Amino acid sequence: MPKTRKPQAVVAVLAFAGIVVALMQTVVIPLIPQLPRLLHASPTDATWAITATLLAAAVTTPVVGRLGDMYGKRRMLLISLALLVTGSIVCGLSDALAPMVIGRALQGTASGVIALGISIMRDELPPDRLDAATALMSASLGVGGALGLPAAALLAEQTDWHVLFWVSAAFGVVAAALVLAIVPESEVRGGGRFDVVGAAGLAAGLTCLLLAVSKGADWGWGSPLTVGLLGATVVVLGLWGRWELRARQPLVDLRTTARRQVLLTNLASAVFGFAMFAMSLVLPQVLQLPAATGYGLGATMLGVGLVLAPSGLVMIVTAPMSARLSRVYGPKVTLMTGALVVAAGYGLGVALMSETWQLVLVSSVIGAGIGLAYGSMPALIMSAVPIAETAAANSLNTLMRSIGTSVSSAVAGVVLARLTVEFGTFTAPSPAGFRLVMAIGCGASLTACAIAAFLPGRRRPGRDTSLTAGLPGMTRAGGRGRPPGRQLPPGRQTRSAAISRYWKLPPLYASRNASSIPVARWVRARSSQ
């Protein structure tokens, strides 16, 4: 498959699209304390403007990834950006809760952009540029969030709050135009039929899980509704798993997902997502609490954004470092290193929380670890899955991180609600509560490192991986690589080459690694007769 002649432009456009999606998630943060007043709703109801985005992102990310593998990743990327623009316009026109929730849900459907962008890079970029590009794309979520917060806070303080969403819509239009002009459509397609039942089952299971996690504190963790939702999650996802194992063309190939490298990477991603989000829950509260409490710093939302912005800049710097580290030592080592750096950052946070510069240091160290670890996860996933399933596999990995952050929010909320201090007319989380959440984040980072330690080690130089498997011109065919320079005996050829030549199919469809493609299944059945 020919690679694009303008890889730098493609990388820049896709990374910009990822940053735009991150800005969408950040834009509402300065408004959270004012949402009940702005939307004429109760505080409990106003939180649906946040929950709707979370649910929509979780439900649509794996679906969009699978559709991208089937019908074109660029096409689904453009559709996602169009939904982001539409949702931003709806929010920009809203003054009530219902349209705001609808608009935020539409914005949430664009969360699959980063996974699609990484998959496009795998299809279009030459191998020597892929590691650095995917590391930058993965880090774009954190970069956009960290850099977008001060900008969103400044706009919220100086202008009408609707401007935040109009700016988001404008950025979405620019990103879509750049994708249309520069990013090519990949020729790698999986084909087949879309698994409607699997998509509905996964959506129902995730909705039950995330509703229980995000609303459990409001409803009560022991309430019949919360317990019922958790029970329904187990039942629905169990039935969904059984269906996916029996489906000929599943939404999520659970057999591929159960491979050691994919499974452990996804588990580490979920735990790492849990660890990463603890910083976002603690540092803004410490900064914004009144100085009269004795441990708050009395900063405005703009001040909070400026304190957290350096972490985004650090991620930009560490993304290429992550690629170089993975190239030399393998992505497993990079993931473990990133987790250890994040753990060190949280360890600093337990002790250093009384001055603004200390929180800048803590957030920057944690940001460095996130930049390292996020860059390694796509490399681990893509080296273990067929090229025709890249978008679906990356989307599932993104989903696992989202589940981790949701659980982190619930756990931190419980801790901070239990450990409080009375200050006359108001109650605030205690310093012990903040330190406990930071310690939990440190422990979660160490757990992610321990999980990553069980990942397979780096492959020997003579062995190929599924990163290039099934592509024309590659030495590996049928999933069994041969050392460079070793040729087959005269008159013999690999099984995939024989199938390709006999049925006049491109090598991709004859590759053992492309066995999930329907035509490949049919060819194998015919060739064995």
Side-chain angles (χ1 to χ4, degrees), residues 31-57:
L31 302 177
I32 289 176
Q34 306 174 47
L35 281 179
R37 177 179 60 82
L38 296 174
L39 301 178
H40 312 290
S42 67
T44 301
D45 290 340
T47 59
W48 281 104
I50 311 298
T51 305
T53 307
L54 171 69
L55 293 176

Side-chain angles (χ1 to χ4, degrees), residues 1 215 243 274 358:
M1 181 181 63
K215 291 293 186 180
W243 168 269
F274 180 101
Q358 295 175 351

Side-chain angles (χ1 to χ4, degrees), residues 203-217:
L206 290 174
T207 300
C208 291
L209 172 63
L210 295 176
L211 273 178
V213 169
S214 61
K215 291 293 186 180

Side-chain angles (χ1 to χ4, degrees), residues 173-248:
V173 170
V174 172
L178 290 173
V179 169
L180 274 172
I182 295 175
V183 178
E185 179 61 89
S186 170
E187 298 177 0
V188 179
R189 304 284 179 87
R193 292 184 178 181
F194 181 68
D195 182 11
V196 177
V197 175
L202 182 60
L206 290 174
T207 300
C208 291
L209 172 63
L210 295 176
L211 273 178
V213 169
S214 61
K215 291 293 186 180
D218 295 332
W219 297 337
W221 292 106
S223 67
L225 182 56
T226 302
V227 174
L229 284 172
L230 292 173
T233 299
V234 175
V235 173
V236 172
L237 291 182
L239 293 174
W240 170 79
R242 185 174 182 181
W243 168 269
E244 292 295 281
L245 288 172
R246 295 185 174 187
R248 295 184 61 185

Side-chain angles (χ1 to χ4, degrees), residues 51-366:
T51 305
T53 307
L54 171 69
L55 293 176
V59 168
T60 59
T61 295
V63 172
V64 168
R66 177 61 181 145
L67 289 173
D69 283 332
M70 293 173 62
Y71 303 116
K73 303 174 185 71
R74 176 176 178 265
R75 178 181 300 176
M76 295 311 302
L77 180 63
L78 289 169
I79 291 174
S80 298
L81 290 172
L83 290 172
L84 183 148
V85 172
T86 303
S88 299
I89 293 173
V90 171
C91 291
L93 296 172
S94 66
D95 285 303
L97 180 63
M100 175 63 80
V101 170
I102 293 172
R104 289 291 293 166
L106 288 171
Q107 286 185 317
T109 59
S111 296
V113 163
I114 292 178
L116 289 169
I118 292 171
S119 304
I120 292 173
M121 289 176 176
R122 183 186 188 185
D123 295 344
E124 301 299 328
L125 299 183
D128 60 324
R129 293 180 180 266
L130 184 59
D131 289 343
T134 55
L136 179 62
M137 190 70 194
S138 296
S140 66
L141 182 61
V143 171
L147 299 181
L149 186 57
L154 180 62
L155 286 174
E157 290 181 0
Q158 302 296 325
T159 65
D160 180 74
W161 64 275
H162 294 91
V163 174
L164 294 171
F165 296 102
W166 290 113
V167 171
S168 177
F171 275 123
V173 170
V174 172
L178 290 173
V179 169
L180 274 172
I182 295 175
V183 178
E185 179 61 89
S186 170
E187 298 177 0
V188 179
R189 304 284 179 87
R193 292 184 178 181
F194 181 68
D195 182 11
V196 177
V197 175
L202 182 60
L206 290 174
T207 300
C208 291
L209 172 63
L210 295 176
L211 273 178
V213 169
S214 61
K215 291 293 186 180
D218 295 332
W219 297 337
W221 292 106
S223 67
L225 182 56
T226 302
V227 174
L229 284 172
L230 292 173
T233 299
V234 175
V235 173
V236 172
L237 291 182
L239 293 174
W240 170 79
R242 185 174 182 181
W243 168 269
E244 292 295 281
L245 288 172
R246 295 185 174 187
R248 295 184 61 185
Q249 299 168 16
L251 175 73
V252 178
D253 190 340
L254 294 182
R255 291 180 176 84
T256 298
T257 305
R259 293 176 183 171
R260 177 182 168 192
Q261 183 162 321
V262 180
L263 177 63
L264 291 179
T265 301
N266 284 331
L267 287 176
S269 297
V271 177
F272 195 83
F274 180 101
M276 179 198 72
F277 202 61
M279 174 184 73
S280 303
L281 296 169
V282 171
L283 299 191
Q285 293 195 61
V286 174
L287 286 163
Q288 287 187 286
L289 279 174
T293 60
Y295 54 91
L297 299 178
T300 63
M301 180 55 70
L302 178 58
V304 172
L306 292 175
V307 169
L308 297 180
S311 65
L313 299 175
V314 170
M315 289 182 203
I316 296 176
V317 174
T318 55
M321 293 173 58
S322 171
R324 285 194 291 270
L325 191 62
S326 295
R327 199 158 42 241
V328 176
Y329 299 104
K332 169 185 174 178
V333 173
T334 309
L335 178 55
M336 295 178 65
T337 303
L340 289 175
V341 173
V342 171
Y346 279 118
L348 287 173
V350 173
L352 304 177
M353 209 181 293
S354 57
E355 299 289 342
T356 301
W357 69 267
Q358 295 175 351
L359 299 186
V360 172
L361 174 63
V362 168
S363 66
S364 298
V365 173
I366 294 174

